[in-house]
Amino acid sequence: GDSVTQMEGPVTLSEEAFLTINCTYTATGYPSLFWYVQYPGEGLQLLLKATKADDKGSNKGFEATYRKETTSFHLEKGSVQVSDSAVYFCALSQKQYGNKLVFGAGTILRVKS
Amino acid sequence: DGGITQSPKYLFRKEGQNVTLSCEQNLNHDAMYWYRQDPGQGLRLIYYSQIVNDFQKGDIAEGYSVSREKKESFPLTVTSAQKNPTAFYLCASSPRGLSGANVLTFGAGSRLTVL
């Protein structure tokens, strides 16, 4: 079945450092790809998405590019802030399976001031 | 504001008891979902419903039951048959659309602890 693999955390960075969280996927078709973020004690909220190869999703300074050739959707941000501390989930969904999301295990990000 | 309301936020249960988690949405979404979150395992799908009076099992449905009698409500019952029920439970909804790219809106979650 479809699956998503994320880099293990926690990732600890200093404020204004560059962030990369790796995400790769396995899917039989052409999935849509998502990054969701979960702040402490809360549910998940969409950070960005991409629906086809070479699409770039972006939001709040975060970016991720859908790379079909490497089956990847790595999350990047040029300068992180303490307020970016959260758990980040990579996920995919496919048309033939409706909107069911398949999630990665999540990566904890801690940003120090 | 439109959104998803889950209740209770925290719940304690004794072994052998059933418990029902509430999920209500006012987004006029057709589809609703229940996920379970455990540390280091991401989210796993328990049940989902794409339309009123219809629902399907997800990846880990054993020990859980749901109903979808109204469009805005999708309660989850954790039964005594669920061997490891202590977890964080998340409800979500989305438009029904068939593109596969629709965004899910999540509730704030319910944390269930079995004593």
Side-chain angles (χ1 to χ4, degrees):
Chain A
D2 295 353
S3 65
V4 175
T5 303
Q6 291 180 233
M7 63 186 291
E8 289 192 21
V11 173
T12 303
L13 297 172
S14 297
E15 211 166 15
E16 299 184 2
F18 184 85
L19 168 71
T20 299
I21 300 178
N22 290 337
C23 170
T24 57
Y25 67 90
T26 301
T28 53
Y30 301 94
S32 296
L33 301 174
F34 306 81
W35 278 101
Y36 280 81
V37 59
Q38 184 180 35
Y39 297 102
E42 299 183 8
L44 278 69
Q45 53 187 277
L46 178 72
L47 183 58
L48 52 85
K49 71 175 185 179
T51 58
K52 61 183 187 297
D54 299 325
D55 268 2
K56 177 186 282 188
S58 62
N59 185 26
K60 300 181 182 178
F62 290 90
E63 292 183 341
T65 301
Y66 190 146
R67 301 288 187 198
K68 184 169 176 290
E69 63 276 12
T70 55
T71 62
S72 65
F73 193 54
H74 304 321
L75 182 68
E76 297 181 336
K77 186 176 186 183
S79 176
V80 293
Q81 305 300 313
V82 172
S83 57
D84 293 327
S85 299
V87 183
Y88 292 81
F89 292 93
C90 186
L92 66 81
S93 68
Q94 294 215 62
K95 180 179 179 179
Q96 60 264 41
Y97 305 127
N99 291 324
K100 292 186 296 174
L101 284 171
V102 175
F103 285 91
T107 302
I108 298 172
L109 171 64
R110 297 181 181 137
V111 181
K112 303 180 299 183
S113 59
Chain B
D1 286 342
I4 296 182
T5 302
Q6 290 187 240
S7 63
K9 191 171 178 66
Y10 299 97
L11 185 60
F12 298 89
R13 186 194 93 176
K14 293 182 180 179
E15 282 194 23
Q17 288 182 334
N18 292 354
V19 62
T20 297
L21 307 180
S22 170
C23 177
E24 303 279 331
Q25 55 103 354
N26 60 4
L27 299 166
N28 200 33
H29 286 168
D30 287 304
M32 297 187 74
Y33 311 80
W34 274 105
Y35 286 89
R36 170 180 170 141
Q37 184 177 16
D38 295 283
Q41 294 192 46
L43 278 72
R44 293 178 290 169
L45 182 65
I46 304 172
Y47 269 97
Y48 65 103
S49 167
Q50 296 191 328
I51 198 167
V52 175
N53 292 322
D54 186 48
F55 49 83
Q56 287 80 40
K57 293 182 179 180
D59 300 317
I60 55 165
E62 185 176 351
Y64 299 97
S65 66
V66 294
S67 62
R68 186 85 188 277
E69 297 176 1
K70 297 186 298 182
K71 185 176 184 178
E72 54 273 18
S73 178
F74 192 41
L76 173 74
T77 297
V78 185
T79 75
S80 56
Q82 169 50 234
K83 298 190 189 315
N84 297 297
T86 294
F88 190 52
Y89 291 88
L90 287 161
C91 179
S93 71
S94 73
R96 188 177 178 194
L98 301 176
S99 71
N102 286 355
V103 173
L104 268 63
T105 300
F106 283 83
S110 293
R111 186 167 298 280
L112 172 62
T113 303
V114 174
L115 303 173

